[in-house]
Amino acid sequence: MWASWIPVLCLGICLLLPPEPVGSEGAVPIAITCSTRGLDIRKEKADVLCPGGCPLEEFSVFGHIVYASVSSICGAAVHRGVIGNSGGPVRIYSLPGRENYSSVVANGIQSQTLSRWSASFTVTKGKSGTQEATGQAVSTAHPATGKRLKKTPEKKTGNKDCKADIAFLIDGSFNIGQRRFNLQKNFVGKVALMLGIGTEGPHVGLVQASEHPKIEFYLKNFTSAKDVLFAIKEVGFRGGNSNTGKALKHTAQKFFTADTGARKGIPKVVVVFIDGWPSDDIEEAGIVAREFGVNVFIVSVAKPIPEELGMVQDVAFVDKAVCRNNGFFSYHMPNWFGTTKYVKPLVQKLCTHEQMMCSKTCYNSVNIAFLIDGSSSVGESNFRLMLEFVSNIAKTFEISDIGAKIAAVQFTYDQRTEFSFTDYSTKENVLAVIRNIRYMSGGTATGDAISFTVRNVFGPMRDSPNKNFLVIVTDGQSYDDVRGPAAAAHDAAK
């Protein structure tokens, strides 16, 4: 027993550490590796010896002064300034878990934030043991007791054929309850394990939906399956209403940023777990997600019973939340028991990137101008067929202020802008205007019409992030040169 506790650190956070027990000066430090974590040392206090030459960029450190126990001990020691990159003795003290671990840059290491962890530790300068004093190197592959450590080499690169940034949005409402919540976490852990998480493969994070959404950990926090499984296990049940729509919006807007670990050119995916039904509007949330370039997968479990259907805002919420109602983006499990057989099919979907059509690539990230031939050779009835053709194309796009934009120009020898990209921001309005376009009749000057459209319709959209497309709908040969204006339009689009 220690006789008392004495404060040894007080820099914004005061820590009470136990005094040294009598006779500890000669203790031999335990040899550890660069990646040994605080949770791997199951003692209230221990002396360890960090090896030299650990790559700073590979350290996983969460917090400052007080570190989450999932952090690398040697990384925390370098971050704290206790040792340098040449290694050395470190003393580690176990501490209780806490709600928030801050992110601080120190000594060449950027520590990361973490919302919650069940155990913590801090580090101080260690005591030099006999082995260090004699200059003998301590193997990091064997503990000081001489017992051989059984180590399984970890594939740090991950599954390169399944590159995706994935947010698991789990149900933490009273609908699911504590018991099923734990079964849900177990299923998510199995999915994460089979994905093949790694630096070159999938990265995952976790968000809990309840009364208010909470991001439990980001994409950048963990890049190995082992650490992700630990983090999932530590997530606590929140309760409240199942405001899945609110949580999905929050995830789409806040989760996938460069600062939180989202990678350029990698599909963004939210896997939404719903036990029963959502308490709010999930259709609108699905639209917002698509506008932010996020693919939404809905995993529904235990559909509402007949007595509960009156509480559901929209029985068809699954079909309306996904971008394509073709069965690819939705997945149903009858209950949370015996779910192992559902893991592989879901993983296969998440790794089928060629079907990720909800991301901001085509359906909602384009400016399309339709150049419609209104010459006399077309005729009124064929002109109406052309308008119907244009309408059918426009229907397939997600038209909004920040999504796809549609414009239309009718041409003969003259040109008339029917509507520009900024005139209408809803699909309904665009389709209504297309139906009411009046037939002009006249000659055919397609080349002049191309130049007019590039200058007057695409010109004001020069700074738009969307890609530009010009679709020409015509029935025959032009009276003027088309090749030159078409080449100029290509050059203007570069």
Side-chain angles (χ1 to χ4, degrees):
M1 292 292 291
W2 289 309
S4 61
W5 293 78
I6 57 173
V8 298
L9 291 172
C10 194
L11 294 174
I13 303 174
C14 291
L15 304 176
L16 294 178
L17 301 180
E20 305 302 328
V22 177
S24 65
E25 291 297 326
V28 177
I30 302 170
I32 62 175
T33 69
C34 302
S35 58
T36 301
R37 302 165 299 178
L39 56 83
D40 297 324
I41 304 296
R42 301 182 180 276
K43 296 182 179 180
E44 289 190 5
K45 178 185 71 68
D47 287 304
V48 298
L49 186 64
C50 287
C54 296
L56 297 184
E57 65 275 7
E58 292 187 11
F59 280 136
S60 186
V61 179
F62 303 88
H64 175 55
I65 303 177
V66 176
Y67 302 94
S69 63
V70 73
S71 303
S72 158
I73 297 173
C74 299
V78 174
H79 183 266
R80 188 77 183 94
V82 170
I83 60 172
N85 198 36
S86 58
V90 174
R91 178 156 290 175
I92 174 174
Y93 295 92
S94 64
L95 297 169
R98 55 193 307 168
E99 285 298 320
N100 288 293
Y101 296 87
S102 58
S103 172
V104 175
V105 179
N107 300 309
I109 296 178
Q110 168 74 68
S111 69
Q112 302 178 53
T113 58
L114 194 59
S115 61
R116 180 180 175 273
W117 201 257
S118 60
S120 311
F121 69 88
T122 191
V123 289
T124 63
K125 186 70 176 176
K127 301 294 182 181
S128 297
T130 306
Q131 288 178 321
E132 187 204 1
T134 58
Q136 297 175 354
V138 181
S139 170
T140 60
H142 303 276
T145 58
K147 294 181 180 179
R148 186 175 183 83
L149 281 175
K150 186 178 181 181
K151 293 191 67 178
T152 303
E154 186 178 351
K155 294 181 179 179
K156 294 184 178 180
T157 57
N159 182 5
K160 295 181 181 181
D161 295 326
C162 184
K163 280 192 174 182
D165 288 340
I166 302 171
F168 292 112
L169 178 55
I170 62 174
D171 189 345
S173 69
F174 287 136
N175 278 356
I176 191 170
Q178 179 71 65
R179 184 187 180 207
R180 287 182 293 171
F181 179 76
N182 291 335
L183 292 171
Q184 177 187 214
K185 288 199 302 178
N186 184 50
F187 178 76
V188 172
K190 291 177 181 177
V191 173
L193 191 63
M194 186 171 283
L195 278 169
I197 297 167
T199 54
E200 301 289 323
H203 291 183
V204 304
L206 191 73
V207 183
Q208 185 174 172
S210 57
E211 194 71 34
H212 303 287
K214 182 184 179 185
I215 297 176
E216 301 289 353
F217 58 89
Y218 288 101
L219 295 165
K220 69 176 185 179
N221 290 147
F222 307 106
T223 53
S224 74
K226 180 173 64 174
D227 289 341
V228 167
L229 291 177
F230 269 112
I232 292 172
K233 183 180 178 182
E234 293 295 317
V235 173
F237 176 61
R238 292 175 63 81
N241 288 324
S242 55
N243 291 330
T244 309
K246 181 179 180 181
L248 178 55
K249 279 186 186 178
H250 183 76
T251 305
Q253 294 169 339
K254 305 293 184 184
F255 185 86
F256 296 99
T257 68
D259 290 341
T260 60
R263 297 167 289 178
K264 287 185 178 180
I266 303 297
K268 303 179 183 68
V269 180
V270 177
V271 184
V272 184
F273 292 89
I274 300 177
D275 187 295
W277 70 96
S279 305
D280 58 353
D281 188 350
I282 195 171
E283 179 183 6
E284 180 187 352
I287 294 172
V288 170
R290 292 194 289 277
E291 289 174 346
F292 278 85
V294 176
N295 298 273
V296 178
F297 280 79
I298 302 291
V299 178
S300 58
V301 185
K303 290 182 178 179
I305 60 177
E307 302 87 75
E308 297 170 333
L309 289 176
M311 302 172 63
V312 183
Q313 286 193 14
D314 193 341
V315 176
F317 67 86
V318 172
D319 293 339
K320 293 182 178 180
V322 297
C323 78
R324 293 288 173 269
N325 183 19
N326 57 5
F328 178 75
F329 295 98
S330 57
Y331 198 64
H332 180 70
M333 298 189 299
N335 53 59
W336 288 110
F337 301 96
T339 56
T340 302
K341 64 182 178 181
Y342 297 103
V343 173
K344 187 175 181 180
L346 179 57
V347 169
Q348 288 174 336
K349 287 191 175 193
L350 297 179
C351 294
T352 310
H353 296 162
E354 60 269 20
Q355 293 196 48
M356 299 287 191
M357 298 302 292
C358 295
S359 58
K360 206 170 179 65
T361 54
C362 179
Y363 287 105
N364 61 356
S365 62
V366 292
N367 299 325
I368 304 177
F370 292 98
L371 190 52
I372 305 169
D373 188 347
S375 63
S376 301
S377 61
V378 173
E380 180 74 37
S381 60
N382 286 333
F383 184 75
R384 291 297 146 195
L385 289 175
M386 293 168 72
L387 294 184
E388 185 178 348
F389 172 75
V390 170
S391 295
N392 288 335
I393 295 176
K395 284 178 184 177
T396 64
F397 290 88
E398 302 288 351
I399 301 170
S400 70
D401 285 333
I402 59 175
K405 293 177 173 58
I406 306 293
V409 174
Q410 186 179 175
F411 72 97
T412 57
Y413 280 139
D414 297 319
Q415 305 86 32
R416 184 173 76 200
T417 302
E418 303 294 349
F419 59 94
S420 66
F421 289 122
T422 56
D423 287 341
Y424 303 102
S425 59
T426 68
K427 186 180 299 186
E428 291 75 16
N429 288 340
V430 167
L431 295 178
V433 174
I434 292 173
R435 284 194 300 269
N436 293 320
I437 292 177
R438 292 178 293 106
Y439 177 45
M440 288 173 64
S441 185
T444 308
T446 310
D448 284 347
I450 293 173
S451 299
F452 173 88
T453 306
V454 170
R455 182 174 61 253
N456 296 286
V457 177
F458 286 106
M461 304 298 289
R462 190 173 290 109
D463 297 327
S464 170
N466 289 3
K467 293 181 179 180
N468 295 323
F469 292 90
L470 176 59
V471 179
I472 303 173
V473 187
T474 182
D475 78 330
Q477 188 172 354
S478 174
Y479 290 109
D480 64 351
D481 174 55
V482 176
R483 193 170 295 178
H490 280 291
D491 292 340
K494 291 179 181 177

